[in-house]
Amino acid sequence: MTASRNATLLLIGDNAELEAPGPQCQLRGPTACQQSEASMTLLHKYNDALAGFANNHARVVFWDFHRLLCSGDTCGWSVPGTPLIAFLDAYHMSVEAHQYLQPFLCDFLLDSGLTSDR
């Protein structure tokens, strides 16, 4: 459908779900609510399915951002390298997380040919 309309479909991956809301995790300390990459099997299956769909269809691209919210192999409640809360609740990202991800999305859009400038 996208190719016939000369359009491109952008699929955006999902992020991990915290065990508690971000602010509660912050109160518990910097290592609270952390998850290892290896423990996120459902998230990886979902994002892998989206990536597979994009790879098998013309004019469909996939952006997997969740690792950008991790430090090494550990993902938690904060924007990497900062004390800023990345998640308002256990799942939804904060404005600060959106602002942190914005330049990465712009680079992805440029690299994918979906935009020509910022």
Side-chain angles (χ1 to χ4, degrees):
M1 183 169 155
T2 57
S4 68
R5 304 246 182 197
N6 198 28
T8 301
L9 174 63
L10 170 61
L11 300 174
I12 298 178
D14 209 351
N15 53 268
E17 186 172 349
L18 297 177
E19 66 184 52
Q24 287 180 17
C25 294
Q26 182 186 40
L27 291 174
R28 295 183 201 167
T31 59
C33 303
Q34 288 187 342
Q35 301 175 62
S36 69
E37 271 288 321
S39 71
M40 298 182 209
T41 55
L42 287 178
L43 174 66
H44 292 297
K45 285 180 183 180
Y46 177 77
N47 284 346
D48 288 349
L50 289 176
F53 182 85
N55 288 335
N56 291 319
H57 292 84
R59 302 192 61 101
V60 178
V61 296
F62 171 64
W63 184 50
D64 185 0
F65 68 86
H66 101 270
R67 287 181 181 92
L68 295 170
L69 292 172
C70 302
S71 294
D73 290 335
T74 304
C75 306
W77 58 265
S78 66
V79 173
T82 76
L84 301 173
I85 294 173
F87 297 95
L88 298 173
D89 52 22
Y91 187 76
H92 296 95
M93 287 185 289
S94 67
V95 171
E96 291 80 7
H98 286 226
Q99 290 171 338
Y100 168 77
L101 290 172
Q102 190 173 26
F104 295 105
L105 176 59
C106 288
D107 287 345
F108 176 81
L109 295 173
L110 285 167
D111 293 346
S112 299
L114 297 177
T115 187
S116 57
D117 65 47
R118 294 179 182 199

